[in-house]
Amino acid sequence: MAESFTTARALILENVALLPIESVTLSEGVGRVQANDICAPCDMPRWDNSAMDGFAVRAADCSSPTPLQIEGYIPAGATSEGICVRPGQAVRIMTGAPVPAGCDTIVPVEETEENPEGLRITTQVNKGDHIRVRGEDVSEGKLVIPDGSVLRPIEINMLAAFEFNTVAVFCRPKVAILSTGDELVEPGEPLGPGQIVNSNAYSLAAAVREIGGIPVMLGIARDNRESLIQKLNEGIKADLLITSAGVSMGDRDLVCDVLQEVGVKQLFWKIDMKPGRPTAFGLKAGTPVFSLPGNPVSTMITFEELVRPALLKMMGHQRVIKPYVKATLKEGINKKAGRVQFLRVQVRENAGKLTAESSGDQNTGILSTMLRANGIALLPAERNRFEAGEEVDVHLISDPI
Ligand code: AMP
Ligand code: MG
């Protein structure tokens, strides 16, 4: 019995656990998921400071026709200690410098005129202008970056501004990648008659790396028990193991049998999806094991739709299933009822509306259709026909054209 796609994905997500937490430097933090709440250790800004290069003044003096007398200078990085703006005075000040005593307003330099009599203000001044007030951005104790946030450059900036030089994040999973098949040779090795290049290991490694995992290349297991046992035992030492091929109905498709032999408890063997029906999932002592089909298109689609969400969950992401976008089908599509079909599509954007069109022959052997695709449309199991003009759910794999 094959599992439905939705049940299979839910079962996978229920059975993968968060990875441990590690501390990394801020420069290594980008893209990682923060594993604790960060509260502001102090006010931000730490003190009232100038938002402009200009003059620290008293607003009440600015409407008087008498020029202000310039007394003193506070560059960025200096303190305002011992400096006071007295009535009729202005203190030259640079952006970011602390506001001195007596000052209630900053006048930007471009709104002033300096002449031998002093400083004339050429604009209407409102009390409080151009002062960044202590704590106006973030007040001490406030939750600034909650647990589960994906660290973007802006979070890194905030952490650095609060003087954190490390950050607690969920670990990156080590993902063992194992190709299986007697016909496989590594790229660059001589290719004999009937042999096939092990391309899956490289697309899987790229896909793992793209979302922040660490691929561990196990090479090729041959279609015999000894070879599979040795490689699978090595693979289940990683945080997650992905195998490709050897899961169909052929007499050399031994992966599922041997996985059981090495103690992997299978949750399911097949999924009602196309491509990707012979996809199995199991666990050995908590380590998830995905057995993906060997056909490169099926391998990539099952990774995208099933392995990727699992890895994201392990890395602490809160959103693990990509949001679906709605796109209008450009042509009618027939499919078999009873299984979800993943259609490789080209998604185009025109005036804010998305359309999806098959990117070519949908046979799973046709890799170039995947190459031309920037989306995967999910056609639900129940239906057997979709009309041109209908809206479908699409997972974008790159930007619309
Ligand atoms: P199998 O499930 O073992 O029958 O493999 C299905 C198809 O995928 C066959 O045409 C294989 O040659 C092909 N295939 C299997 N493994 C790989 C791989 N690592 N890279 C590229 N193609 C593969
Ligand atoms: Mg095979």
Side-chain angles (χ1 to χ4, degrees):
M1 250 289 280
E3 215 49 90
S4 79
F5 168 70
T6 325
T7 313
R9 190 174 59 185
L11 264 174
I12 290 167
L13 290 175
E14 266 168 42
N15 281 283
V16 297
L18 275 177
L19 288 167
I21 294 165
E22 64 175 343
S23 173
V24 297
T25 62
L26 288 194
S27 50
E28 293 169 316
V30 71
R32 307 288 292 273
V33 180
Q34 193 173 279
N36 58 356
D37 282 340
I38 295 286
C39 294
C42 62
D43 284 333
M44 181 79 73
R46 288 172 170 77
W47 12 262
D48 294 356
N49 69 90
S50 175
M52 301 295 281
D53 292 329
F55 294 92
V57 298
R58 295 166 171 263
D61 297 347
C62 295
S63 43
S64 139
T66 325
L68 301 176
Q69 297 310 301
I70 303 170
E71 296 287 341
Y73 171 47
I74 316 171
T79 89
S80 59
E81 235 166 83
I83 301 178
C84 182
V85 183
R86 300 186 195 287
Q89 291 182 345
V91 172
R92 196 183 301 277
I93 192 166
M94 296 298 122
T95 307
V99 164
C103 156
D104 59 20
T105 304
I106 303 290
V107 184
V109 68
E110 52 273 36
E111 291 171 5
T112 64
E113 264 173 31
E114 269 183 75
N115 55 41
E117 287 77 56
L119 183 77
R120 221 171 58 76
I121 292 173
T122 58
T123 186
Q124 163 78 38
V125 166
N126 298 307
K127 193 170 168 180
D129 277 356
H130 306 299
I131 293 180
R132 302 168 179 153
V133 180
R134 174 179 176 159
E136 72 173 16
D137 187 356
V138 183
S139 52
E140 184 178 338
K142 197 179 154 207
L143 175 62
V144 252
I145 311 176
D147 165 28
S149 300
V150 181
L151 298 176
R152 303 166 300 170
I154 185 59
E155 278 80 13
I156 302 291
N157 187 301
M158 195 55 112
L159 289 164
F162 280 121
E163 294 181 274
F164 291 97
N165 47 27
T166 59
V167 57
V169 292
F170 293 101
C171 286
R172 299 172 64 191
K174 290 189 189 68
V175 182
I177 296 171
L178 177 64
S179 301
T180 74
D182 285 339
E183 75 279 33
L184 300 179
V185 293
E186 292 292 0
E189 285 178 0
L191 193 64
Q195 292 189 310
I196 294 221
V197 178
N198 171 21
S199 57
N200 280 346
Y202 298 88
S203 56
L204 285 171
V208 164
R209 207 182 284 284
E210 197 171 50
I211 57 165
I214 304 167
V216 179
M217 305 300 259
L218 295 186
I220 300 165
R222 299 305 173 189
D223 292 322
N224 62 71
R225 281 189 56 243
E226 298 66 38
S227 177
L228 279 165
I229 288 175
Q230 190 239 321
K231 291 284 190 183
L232 291 173
N233 275 327
E234 207 180 317
I236 48 191
K237 292 184 195 137
D239 296 313
L240 185 143
L241 166 62
I242 306 173
T243 69
S244 72
V247 282
S248 322
M249 304 297 282
D251 56 3
R252 297 226 180 138
D253 292 333
L254 306 172
V255 171
C256 291
D257 287 349
V258 179
L259 277 171
Q260 281 188 307
E261 224 174 293
V262 300
V264 176
K265 199 176 143 292
Q266 294 294 334
L267 275 75
F268 56 80
W269 302 98
K270 286 184 170 41
I271 307 180
D272 277 335
M273 63 187 278
K274 186 185 162 64
R277 183 173 160 82
T279 296
F281 174 74
L283 295 157
K284 165 87 192 259
T287 301
V289 180
F290 285 88
S291 315
L292 306 184
N295 217 304
V297 168
S298 314
T299 314
M300 272 183 263
I301 289 184
T302 47
F303 180 92
E304 176 72 18
E305 297 295 330
L306 299 164
V307 187
R308 182 180 190 278
L311 285 171
L312 291 179
K313 181 170 176 200
M314 292 167 76
M315 289 186 276
H317 286 262
Q318 316 237 312
R319 178 185 271 287
V320 298
I321 298 171
K322 242 185 213 176
Y324 291 98
V325 298
K326 294 269 182 217
T328 306
L329 278 178
K330 294 257 292 214
E331 73 256 278
I333 305 279
N334 289 320
K335 69 176 271 292
K336 259 198 190 165
R339 65 188 187 194
V340 169
Q341 182 161 347
F342 292 95
L343 194 72
R344 287 156 271 162
V345 292
Q346 272 182 351
V347 181
R348 288 194 169 72
E349 196 247 64
N350 187 6
K353 290 254 181 278
L354 299 180
T355 55
E357 181 175 20
S358 165
S359 61
D361 183 345
Q362 295 288 323
N363 192 307
T364 44
I366 310 291
L367 198 53
S368 55
T369 304
M370 188 85 197
L371 198 59
R372 278 192 296 272
N374 58 358
I376 301 173
L378 182 154
L379 306 181
E382 327 69 80
R383 307 263 305 269
N384 61 8
R385 168 85 191 156
F386 292 81
E387 301 299 338
E390 272 195 63
E391 272 197 339
V392 289
D393 284 336
V394 177
H395 269 162
L396 288 175
I397 45 182
S398 52
D399 289 341
I401 308 167

